[in-house]
Amino acid sequence: MSEPPQRPPAFVYGSGRGQRSLCCEQVPLAKVAERFGTPLYVYSSHSIRERVRAFHQAFEKVEHTVCYSVKANSNLSILRLLSDLGCGFDVVSGGELLRVLRSKGAPPLSRSVRQGGIHRRAAGNIVFSGVGETVDEMEAALRAGILIFNLESASELEALAACSARLKRNALVAFRVNPDVPADTHPYISTGLHEHKFGVPLHQAIELYARAAKMKYLQVAGVSVHIGSQIMEFAPFSAAMERVADLVRQLRAAGHSIEYVDAGGGLGINYQDSSEDFPKRVSAYTQAVTKPLRGLGVKLLLEPGRCVVGPAGALITRVLYTKTNGATKFIIVDAAMNDLIRPSLYQAEHQIIPVQVGHSRRELVDVVGPVCESGDFFARGRDLPVTNEGELLAILDAGAYGMSLASNYNSRPRAAEVLVNGKSAKLIRKRETISDVIRAEVAALS
Ligand code: PLP
């Protein structure tokens, strides 16, 4: 019987009582599912550690900060782990900022005015990106003392200038430029072409920097770029960085002091094949990013998300029912598109493997959830070992853009999350109840 694909070091089969059983590090997933229920997100801290170390090692020759992109997975314990590994953070909302501060034990922002020092220690390696930062978000970030704002329009610049003047707080600023570089990825996560909503066109940048330099509390300090997510080729990263490097030279020639270059995130992972060597891949990425910047002496900010946490997580789900409609056999599981929307939204193909290896016979099936949408599927026409009702399946590479994109569609409470470290499995987010889901609502009379 051939062994299903695995994701070492996070998810590998172990043997116990004569059966091959999938473990997260040293914890059998069948036991975790028994204890915490399903659907359940399970993450391996070992895998996250390895991936962050690979980044630090690959970039060790240049001054850099890995500002993990919180949107990929924003659980407080994951953020805490990343912070302990020396990561900074890339946030795109006041909510993400608050998560980072909380994960580091900082007090709530309302108490921050008098305790600014505590926040400054917690926030000094946070970059705030976002195409529509609100004044409230800017205010929270200024009070927290983040490292730098990545601005995306002239209006955003004016809003930040007004906000910083009102609070009398200084801020470093960069503009996210749109390099007009195509990236071969899903259209919804490609961001670096001139028709996209992101960033400012390169030809407008010089004028915007000149404007920013005149603002009393703002200091022009960097250039930022992010061309998209799940990018498997390295050439688009080099092309973008070539353009950024040119801009840095022009800005310096115009008298601006450009200390930082933020290369964004976007390094893709191989959802089909786990055998690739991640450190080697990061090292090729490093070449693409750093070569064009050689000689500029800038501090590099990196915003990886997916490649740090993606393969470290799996969504564990139990088979509720099986049925055959016409020629199609359906495996109906207790997870759904509200738990993991990537297959429905991006036509993403996640590998699905049994938690207990049992059957040698294989069949073509659709793996679907209970939500009332035909788009609620995890796999279509997938060749899987025969799977019976009550058995557990693991949907791999679900650590990024899984739980952070989960919703309550169909009034389904969101899944629980567990973080594994060696033999220990800790609940890091309780399963929602239906009371949690409807808590903010009232049944008002019309
Ligand atoms: N930085 C920015 C500005 C982003 O929009 C994103 C996600 O699209 C990221 C970083 C993280 O990208 P990834 O998870 O592909 O590394």
Side-chain angles (χ1 to χ4, degrees), residues 289-349:
V289 168
T290 56
K291 217 167 152 198
L293 299 177
R294 233 167 248 165
L296 288 179
V298 287
K299 294 178 189 156
L300 195 56
L301 302 172
L302 302 154
E303 301 177 354
R306 183 190 310 270
C307 65
V308 171
V309 290
L315 175 59
I316 311 304
T317 182
R318 201 175 283 282
V319 179
L320 295 172
Y321 307 109
T322 63
K323 72 175 186 183
T324 304
N325 276 0
T328 309
K329 174 151 183 201
F330 291 95
I331 308 281
I332 302 158
V333 296
D334 64 1
M337 65 189 286
N338 73 296
D339 299 302
L340 177 65
I341 202 172
R342 298 195 66 260
S344 317
L345 189 61
Y346 307 123
Q347 294 77 49
E349 290 194 12

Side-chain angles (χ1 to χ4, degrees), residues 104 114 199 274 301 316 372 415:
K104 297 181 175 202
R114 272 171 288 117
S274 64
L301 302 172
I316 311 304
C372 303

Side-chain angles (χ1 to χ4, degrees), residues 67-72 90-92 129-130 150 152 176 189 191 198 224-231 262-268 302-309 400-401:
C67 294
Y68 165 75
S69 189
V70 172
K71 63 175 79 67
D90 152 47
V91 302
V92 293
S129 315
N150 288 335
E152 301 209 22
R176 172 171 170 181
I189 50 176
T191 58
F198 298 98
S224 124
V225 75
H226 172 77
I227 55 171
S229 194
Q230 186 49 19
I231 298 167
D262 184 336
L267 181 62
L302 302 154
E303 301 177 354
R306 183 190 310 270
C307 65
V308 171
V309 290
Y401 306 105

Side-chain angles (χ1 to χ4, degrees), residues 52-124:
V52 171
R53 275 191 204 122
F55 252 91
H56 284 312
Q57 264 162 23
F59 282 93
E60 72 184 347
K61 294 213 176 79
V62 290
E63 193 173 346
H64 73 276
T65 307
V66 174
C67 294
Y68 165 75
S69 189
V70 172
K71 63 175 79 67
N73 186 321
S74 53
N75 184 286
L76 296 185
S77 294
I78 302 279
L79 301 182
R80 173 92 188 257
L81 171 63
L82 288 159
S83 166
D84 290 348
L85 291 167
C87 290
F89 297 94
D90 152 47
V91 302
V92 293
S93 70
E96 286 190 351
L97 171 65
L98 194 73
R99 279 177 176 277
V100 172
L101 298 176
R102 284 283 169 83
S103 73
K104 297 181 175 202
L109 278 167
S110 53
R111 286 201 276 133
S112 71
V113 183
R114 272 171 288 117
Q115 299 179 341
I118 296 172
H119 275 122
R120 272 168 201 282
R121 278 201 302 283

Side-chain angles (χ1 to χ4, degrees), residues 131-343:
V131 75
E133 288 168 35
T134 66
V135 169
D136 284 352
E137 289 172 330
M138 288 173 182
E139 188 169 324
L142 284 166
R143 288 191 191 285
I146 65 159
L147 174 64
I148 195 164
F149 287 84
N150 288 335
L151 300 174
E152 301 209 22
S153 65
S155 306
E156 221 179 27
L157 168 66
E158 298 294 338
L160 182 64
C163 197
S164 57
R166 188 163 43 78
L167 298 181
K168 296 195 172 31
R169 294 211 178 220
N170 296 314
L172 300 187
V173 296
F175 282 94
R176 172 171 170 181
V177 292
N178 187 324
D180 200 16
V181 164
D184 183 19
T185 185
H186 191 279
Y188 292 179
I189 50 176
S190 170
T191 58
L193 280 177
H194 66 88
E195 69 258 32
H196 293 140
K197 68 177 175 180
F198 298 98
V200 298
L202 273 171
H203 63 85
Q204 280 175 18
I206 299 282
E207 195 227 310
L208 283 169
Y209 276 91
R211 263 165 90 169
K214 294 195 189 112
M215 311 289 194
K216 184 164 175 208
Y217 288 90
L218 304 187
Q219 188 187 325
V220 162
V223 177
S224 124
V225 75
H226 172 77
I227 55 171
S229 194
Q230 186 49 19
I231 298 167
M232 296 305 283
E233 303 294 323
F234 302 107
F237 293 115
S238 334
M241 292 317 280
E242 296 282 0
R243 291 180 188 190
V244 165
D246 279 348
L247 180 61
V248 170
R249 283 184 209 101
Q250 286 178 53
L251 291 169
R252 283 180 173 172
H256 300 292
S257 153
I258 302 294
E259 203 184 336
Y260 295 96
V261 164
D262 184 336
L267 181 62
I269 58 174
N270 194 331
Y271 283 91
Q272 299 316 313
D273 174 14
S274 64
S275 62
E276 90 179 347
D277 179 344
F278 183 63
K280 207 166 141 196
R281 202 170 153 65
V282 184
S283 145
Y285 169 73
T286 307
Q287 286 302 312
V289 168
T290 56
K291 217 167 152 198
L293 299 177
R294 233 167 248 165
L296 288 179
V298 287
K299 294 178 189 156
L300 195 56
L301 302 172
L302 302 154
E303 301 177 354
R306 183 190 310 270
C307 65
V308 171
V309 290
L315 175 59
I316 311 304
T317 182
R318 201 175 283 282
V319 179
L320 295 172
Y321 307 109
T322 63
K323 72 175 186 183
T324 304
N325 276 0
T328 309
K329 174 151 183 201
F330 291 95
I331 308 281
I332 302 158
V333 296
D334 64 1
M337 65 189 286
N338 73 296
D339 299 302
L340 177 65
I341 202 172
R342 298 195 66 260

